[in-house]
Amino acid sequence: MSNFTLVDPKGWDCDLQSVYSAYMGYFQLHNVPWYDRSWGVFFESFEEFLTFSWPTITATDTWTGRAHIVVRMSSIGAFLKMLKTRFGETLPMVENILRITPFETSQRHLRTITDMAQYKKVFATLPAVVLAALKIRVRNGEPKAIRELWASKDKTFLSLDFEWSERNVSSCIEWGYCAVRCGHLDTVGAWPPDPEPNYRRGHYIVTEYADVHNRMKPSYPWAFGESQVISKSKLPQMVQAIVSSLISPDSETIPNTLVLIAHGTTGELRRLEEMKIKLPHNLLIIDTMAFERQLYASGLRGAMQEPSGRPREQGSSLSLPALLQSLGVDVQRILHNAGNAAFMELLGLQLLLDPDTKVPPLKSPNGMAAAMMRSPNRSPATPPSIAFMPSPAVFPQMGMGNMGVMPVGMMPFPVAGGLSPEVFHEPSGSSRTSFFPQQRSISDHRLQVSPNVAMATGGRLPGRARVNSMNSMKNSVNELGEQLGNLQLKSRSANSRTPPNL
């Protein structure tokens, strides 16, 4: 084992211990008196079987996630050839050997095992191999791995979100978090978690940047509690304290109790690194964007269509508002707030895992005054413009089981729902899309529109003005000019029919 050699894991698919077990089963099934044969010494024990000198690597199975000490089929052939050469008897290649599909694609360390002591040393490394593979599987959004984490009911899921200034990306103006302690809730019998009472959440505004207002993506008030103000120097301390209150000790073999969640993890991880937040090595990280993409690629989200009517492309990603809307959650009036985003990231993950989750109502204590305080340069009643107009497409039933397709007539697009998804700007070559199925119950009293009010407002919802672009302003000016022209024409006509004063 002193020689360090790397090999490609492709083709290493036979569990070493199962090779010995398979031949013992073959002898029993066919009444082979192996103990009376000269070559039987190799089957007296697994330790004697290892004396052949087996080249091995460690690998995890793609499906089960379990780690194995594996050999190549050619090594088994070499063992059988040795028996025929030395003892003159031929043994067949048995079929009931445990075969795996290696999850790892990078080169693996080759070890030659000749006795039980070496086998035990390699066997002791298997938990670390499982952990390393699990971190990658969860980070890539593998549905089976993430569902197993949720089903274990012993993890704590923590979502984080930062908002920073558009003028200076190094200036963090807001921070929000949301956590659910599944182990605690399962112990007290509160499973599955109800988001409203069971989510621990917080929203912090940095004092030094309280008067900094983003123009392209202005922040909305926190919809799930009262915001707090914290100084820039104390923010890293607060973030570290929240993380430390939820993590378990670091380990090279056991996954951490804490599971970090983000929708697109690059930005949040970079902010944590800049703040020098200590994260344990065994921390698992879930990217809800990658998780949803894998669900759709696996057919677990049913058929989805783009607004143009074309089927959704494989490998396309959804922004957080588009993801929530595809789950039937109305996210208007809560965009671009770190606390709201953290809450919605955790809620979106739970909805993907448990579609029957109860969606909590919005609570905005300060209402429009809070929005105006955070965004004085833009009316808080102005919604973000719609990135994609809805089309008469079929939308999936959002579940983790058999995903049926509902006919168009059974799921109409909710005109009175007041959808206002964000404009999601992506670099060239990106393929994020928005989808608009039936809405859930997130709304406030301003969305309760009576028929009379709807008729008075021309069928539009009150309370939020349209987003005025340059084209719409020009159209308004043209319409105003036409109306003035009509008034002048009517005035001239009336004057022409009036007799002169005598």
Side-chain angles (χ1 to χ4, degrees):
M1 296 178 62
S2 58
N3 295 330
F4 190 83
T5 306
L6 296 176
V7 295
D8 188 348
K10 185 177 181 180
W12 297 77
D13 55 0
C14 299
D15 183 87
L16 177 57
Q17 200 276 338
S18 75
V19 176
Y20 175 71
S21 178
Y23 274 100
M24 294 304 295
Y26 171 82
F27 297 152
Q28 182 67 39
L29 180 64
H30 296 279
N31 297 321
V32 178
W34 59 270
Y35 43 83
D36 290 333
R37 306 294 172 84
S38 56
W39 46 264
V41 63
F42 287 99
F43 296 95
E44 290 181 357
S45 66
F46 183 51
E47 185 173 2
E48 294 295 335
F49 182 75
L50 294 177
T51 58
F52 173 69
S53 297
W54 295 90
T56 65
I57 64 170
T58 54
T60 54
D61 184 37
T62 300
W63 175 247
T64 65
R66 301 188 185 98
H68 300 266
I69 301 175
V70 293
V71 298
R72 295 174 62 91
M73 186 64 73
S74 59
S75 297
I76 303 175
F79 173 72
L80 299 179
K81 184 177 181 181
M82 180 272 297
L83 295 181
K84 182 178 180 181
T85 302
R86 291 179 58 182
F87 303 101
E89 187 165 350
T90 302
L91 289 180
M93 182 70 72
V94 294
E95 298 294 335
N96 56 334
I97 297 174
L98 176 60
R99 306 287 293 272
I100 71 167
T101 302
F103 170 79
E104 292 80 6
T105 56
S106 59
Q107 291 186 327
R108 307 292 292 170
H109 185 192
L110 176 65
R111 298 178 174 92
T112 301
I113 297 178
T114 59
D115 54 34
M116 183 57 72
Q118 292 177 335
Y119 183 85
K120 289 181 178 180
K121 289 181 180 179
V122 178
F123 187 83
T125 66
L126 293 185
V129 175
V130 172
L131 177 58
L134 181 61
K135 291 173 62 178
I136 298 175
R137 294 170 62 201
V138 172
R139 186 74 172 269
N140 293 340
E142 182 180 306
K144 184 175 183 292
I146 295 178
R147 283 186 291 182
E148 288 176 352
L149 287 179
W150 182 260
S152 66
K153 303 180 184 180
D154 61 353
K155 295 292 185 289
T156 295
F157 295 86
L158 171 66
S159 60
L160 303 174
D161 189 78
F162 294 90
E163 291 289 334
W164 48 85
S165 172
E166 292 173 344
R167 296 184 178 181
N168 185 1
V169 294
S170 63
S171 300
C172 178
I173 60 178
E174 292 181 12
W175 175 68
Y177 80 93
C178 187
V180 57
R181 299 186 297 161
C182 298
H184 171 73
L185 296 177
D186 185 46
T187 301
V188 300
W191 189 268
D194 186 355
E196 176 58 30
N198 297 144
Y199 281 9
R200 178 189 295 182
R201 62 261 195 180
H203 177 239
Y204 296 87
I205 299 174
V206 180
T207 305
E208 289 82 351
Y209 304 115
D211 58 345
V212 175
H213 307 288
N214 289 333
R215 295 176 179 272
M216 295 181 60
K217 295 182 178 180
S219 178
Y220 285 77
W222 191 31
F224 302 101
E226 295 290 341
S227 300
Q228 301 182 48
V229 180
I230 191 171
S231 65
K232 178 181 179 181
S233 61
K234 294 295 183 180
L235 181 61
Q237 181 180 345
M238 174 60 70
V239 177
Q240 184 68 71
I242 295 298
V243 173
S244 299
S245 68
L246 302 173
I247 62 175
S248 61
D250 201 351
S251 172
E252 295 183 357
T253 58
I254 303 175
N256 201 282
T257 301
L258 181 64
V259 179
L260 191 64
I261 301 170
H263 193 79
T265 59
T266 305
E268 275 60 43
L269 292 179
R270 183 170 61 250
R271 296 296 167 181
L272 293 175
E273 183 179 357
E274 291 173 354
M275 294 182 179
K276 296 179 171 54
I277 304 299
K278 298 178 181 179
L279 297 177
H281 170 268
N282 60 345
L283 181 70
L284 302 178
I285 302 175
I286 295 178
D287 185 349
T288 51
M289 181 186 299
F291 179 41
E292 190 279 336
R293 185 170 60 243
Q294 291 284 355
L295 286 175
Y296 178 71
S298 303
L300 297 176
R301 297 213 66 197
M304 301 181 72
Q305 289 186 352
E306 297 181 0
S308 61
R310 297 177 302 177
R312 177 183 170 185
E313 296 181 0
Q314 292 290 338
S316 60
S317 301
L318 301 185
S319 66
L320 179 59
L323 167 62
L324 293 168
Q325 289 170 21
S326 73
L327 294 167
V329 178
D330 182 9
V331 294
Q332 63 178 354
R333 294 185 175 91
I334 63 172
L335 302 176
H336 311 311
N337 178 286
N340 295 340
F343 189 96
M344 285 302 177
E345 286 169 2
L346 184 55
L347 177 63
L349 175 66
Q350 184 170 346
L351 286 172
L352 289 172
L353 295 168
D354 185 4
D356 296 328
T357 299
K358 181 181 178 181
V359 178
L362 290 180
K363 295 180 181 179
S364 182
N366 297 327
M368 290 293 100
M372 294 180 66
M373 178 184 66
R374 295 292 296 160
S375 304
N377 297 326
R378 176 176 172 178
S379 171
T382 304
S385 56
I386 296 179
F388 297 92
M389 292 301 295
S391 63
V394 291
F395 299 104
Q397 299 178 9
M398 299 305 166
M400 297 301 296
N402 297 328
M403 310 301 295
V405 177
M406 182 173 290
V408 177
M410 296 180 62
M411 188 180 290
F413 181 75
V415 177
L419 284 178
S420 301
E422 72 170 4
V423 178
F424 200 85
H425 298 282
E426 281 292 315
S428 60
S430 179
S431 57
R432 295 194 186 181
T433 348
S434 295
F435 300 89
F436 301 80
Q438 192 175 10
Q439 298 297 294
R440 286 177 178 255
S441 60
I442 284 197
S443 60
D444 57 23
H445 66 278
R446 289 167 292 186
L447 295 183
Q448 306 299 327
V449 184
S450 63
N452 295 333
V453 175
M455 293 179 61
T457 57
R460 295 190 294 107
L461 291 178
R464 278 186 171 240
R466 292 183 181 272
V467 177
N468 291 327
S469 62
M470 294 301 296
N471 292 333
S472 61
M473 292 178 63
K474 292 180 180 179
N475 293 335
S476 299
V477 172
N478 293 336
E479 292 177 0
L480 181 60
E482 292 178 0
Q483 293 176 3
L484 292 176
N486 292 334
L487 290 176
Q488 294 176 1
L489 180 61
K490 290 181 180 180
S491 177
R492 292 174 182 175
S493 300
N495 293 335
S496 63
R497 292 192 296 269
T498 303
N501 294 326
L502 299 176

